[in-house]
Amino acid sequence: LGRNIVELGMVHDLQVQNGKVSFTLALTTMACPLRGRMQDDARKRLLALEGIREVDISARAMTDEEKAKVFGKSGQEQGSAAAHNHIKHVVAVMSGKGGVGKSSVSALLAVALRRKGYTVGLLDADITGPSIPKMLLSEPGRPMGSPLGILPVESPSGIKIISINLLLADPNQAVIWRGPLISGAIRQFWGDVLWGDLDYLIVDLPPGTSDASLTVMQVLPLNGIVMVTTPQSLAGMVVRKASSMAEQLASRLLG
Ligand SMILES: Nc1ncnc2c1ncn2[C@@H]1O[C@H](COP(=O)(O)OP(=O)(O)OP(=O)(O)O)[C@@H](O)[C@H]1O
Ligand SMILES: [Mg+2]
């Protein structure tokens, strides 16, 4: 979100007594996948301060009023980094069908374009089953914050990558989110990440034609879609549904 937890109104019941700090962290949802990381980061920073010996952090969910304060207006605005991004082509890799090789095609497409000398970004829009960091990063780095936006992690060959798995404290942690949160994460990956100047941004979609695909097609200025399928007629049937969705939303099929 580009702001710290105090500015976001997430810190409550703060007490400091004899070197012991305690507070309650108000989260948008108790299932927040970043909960562990936020608590760990806060604890580390507090323990680094002189005179602090103990840190006790409890958590609760934000009230609707608190949520409205944090997200009320900013939810409608374009992301903080969007003004600094200049992306020439945005290409989504889709299928509708699961396990047919979308992520492999996304990663290979990014690598091939990079080898041709283009500047390339890869947005992992699969929030519940992210595959891109495992495919392209031998050591998963952490996206860093900056005043202008979230800095993506770069692969050894210079592909800029953002994925929910780079933000989780534990890559095995499940992200148990309903549609609106999934869409929110993808919007942030587009608008709050400082992609900078890119020739190509590749977007790896999850299977299906619901929230993530819809958000990518409606929010991102797509130049086209690469549709992945396998020869089986069962795959073909589902993939034709995805093609029909692309057609209905006026997204161009590149191949
Ligand atoms: N051309 C290919 N030939 C054989 N196996 C492949 C090929 N492409 C991908 N695979 C394998 O198929 C599996 C699924 O690939 P991948 O993760 O790219 O699919 P996906 O469509 O992104 O899956 P999901 O729907 O879970 O996101 C992987 O084990 C991958 O190594
Ligand atoms: Mg995939």
Side-chain angles (χ1 to χ4, degrees), residues 90-150:
V90 185
V91 176
V93 177
M94 188 185 188
S95 167
K97 187 78 180 140
V100 290
K102 293 177 293 299
S103 303
S104 309
V105 168
S106 303
L108 291 169
L109 204 52
V111 169
L113 289 166
R114 183 74 195 126
R115 282 191 185 157
K116 281 183 184 283
Y118 295 112
T119 48
V120 183
L122 185 38
L123 189 162
D124 189 352
D126 195 340
I127 305 297
T128 53
S131 317
I132 296 300
K134 189 82 179 165
M135 285 181 176
L136 287 182
L137 299 170
S138 48
E139 299 226 349
R142 278 244 182 267
M144 305 286 283
S146 85
L148 296 180
I150 304 165

